[in-house]
Amino acid sequence: MGRLILDGHKLMWHEDRLKAWMNGERIAPITIDCALTRGCTYRCVYCYGQLQTNNEKKITKDVIFRFLDDAASLGVKAISFVSDGESTCSPYLYDAILRGKEDGLDLALGTNGYLLKDERLEDVLPALTYLRFNISAAQPERYVEIHGCKRECYDKVINTVRESVRIKKEKRLDVTIGLQMVLLPEFGDQIIPMAKLGKEIGADYLVIKHCSDDEVGSLGVDYSKYRELTPALKEAEAFSDDEYIVRAKWSKIMSGGKRSYSRCYGPPFILQLSGSGLVAPCGMFFNSRYKRYHIGNIVDTPFRELWRSDRYWEILKLIASEDFDARTMCGTLCLQHKVNEFLGDLKDGRIELNCSAGEKPMHINFI
């Protein structure tokens, strides 16, 4: 577990893609985050998905299979079913995981866990690199309040985590089973209970992350108040041992929601797809008001064709140009944030490309 990076990136272990990108070549993403639907069973108070509304189309089994086949053939290394929807709402999730594995892709799933079928865990756990449960409260009453769900959801999810851990240990699987807490300052009372819960139910890790907001602060995240939670976060991390890691994403939690860079270089390496089928550089641009950054939709056009299109590369070039400023034109602390910091330093000559980065981390293809 010491090789698990929960606050950083793994780009330096992908020397071939980095060198190709530096030479101006068109590269396939290393990782693609996507959802199979925009639907969800929960109404979490911090949900960024409510800010990502776009023209939804239905991702059928044929569409997702074609996308996975295309991604693998282009050289994409990993697909994480994590985006603007709860992929367990799709009837094709389990088939998609198994198809992706057949294609040679690394697969991961992030879920609230409520609709995840216990009877399918033995099928999909061997195919996953990691399974992450999004749980932002350890106490049932707070769980219901924060996630906007019924009390029964809490019991079901905790039981499903336990069952996942049991199967992993019984079958000696390599899959990593983790918990993710999205932290708002007002959730501080749940930090220590979450650390205790993760250890008690046998999870491999608990990661405590910031909450993203859009460029106008629609969710009202007060980043200045995160600093008050430092003692609790450090106490939570002290629950770590050889088999269980608690890690706060300090670099983002303590950033004040600010970026040090203006250009967005990350999407060629890590791309995002909406549960509507929409392909955009990142989730911050899913909303229909950002249509100028929309590339296409995998329901209408195979991903292979979208990747090869002039539109795809024109959009990626635009957000990496002087005509775009990530500090003011998109939301805070996005998925590509750590990658953007690294690539900006690399592009501007503040660091050199040195891929002798030591022992390879876990989940290397989920950058």
Side-chain angles (χ1 to χ4, degrees), residues 83-138:
S83 189
D84 59 340
E86 173 56 54
S87 288
T88 58
C89 292
S90 168
Y92 313 117
L93 171 64
Y94 307 100
D95 292 331
I97 291 172
L98 297 177
R99 178 61 167 249
K101 189 65 174 179
E102 289 176 6
D103 282 338
L105 294 161
D106 284 350
L107 282 302
L109 173 63
T111 175
N112 61 38
Y114 180 59
L115 291 183
L116 188 59
K117 297 178 180 179
D118 290 5
E119 62 270 23
R120 296 303 306 270
L121 291 173
E122 291 197 11
D123 298 330
V124 297
L125 284 176
L128 294 173
T129 299
Y130 70 82
L131 170 59
R132 191 189 73 211
F133 292 89
N134 301 317
I135 302 176
S136 295

